[in-house]
Amino acid sequence: MIFFAPVVDDSVPPTLLAVPLGLVVGGFGLGIALLAILQLGGSLSIFPRPVDGGSLVQNGVYALARHPIYTGVILSALGY
């Protein structure tokens, strides 16, 4: 992503399309991440092992992607 990042130059204002597009992409990414966190419910853990009594979530955004929280974070960063 660093390769594709634009050069930061305060003397050049952002285009009229860049700011709204960044807000839409960033907001969409944030929405995906929050929805994925909510869908995990009690199975959410910061540790790389399953929670005792947790279940594998296979519906909602988890039916489309195995790691939607990471996808949301990446989209939010891209929108930024």
Side-chain angles (χ1 to χ4, degrees):
M1 294 310 294
I2 292 172
F3 179 77
F4 293 110
V7 176
V8 177
D9 186 3
D10 292 337
S11 66
V12 179
T15 64
L16 292 176
L17 182 61
V19 173
L21 184 62
L23 288 172
V24 168
V25 171
F28 184 68
L30 183 62
I32 289 174
L34 290 176
L35 184 61
I37 289 170
L38 290 175
Q39 287 179 348
L40 275 179
S43 296
L44 181 64
S45 172
I46 61 170
F47 300 108
R49 62 183 183 284
V51 176
D52 292 336
S55 62
L56 178 64
V57 178
Q58 296 180 344
N59 51 13
V61 291
Y62 284 91
L64 302 173
R66 182 70 340 228
H67 302 289
I69 296 174
Y70 292 142
T71 303
V73 169
I74 290 169
L75 284 174
S76 294
L78 183 64
Y80 177 76

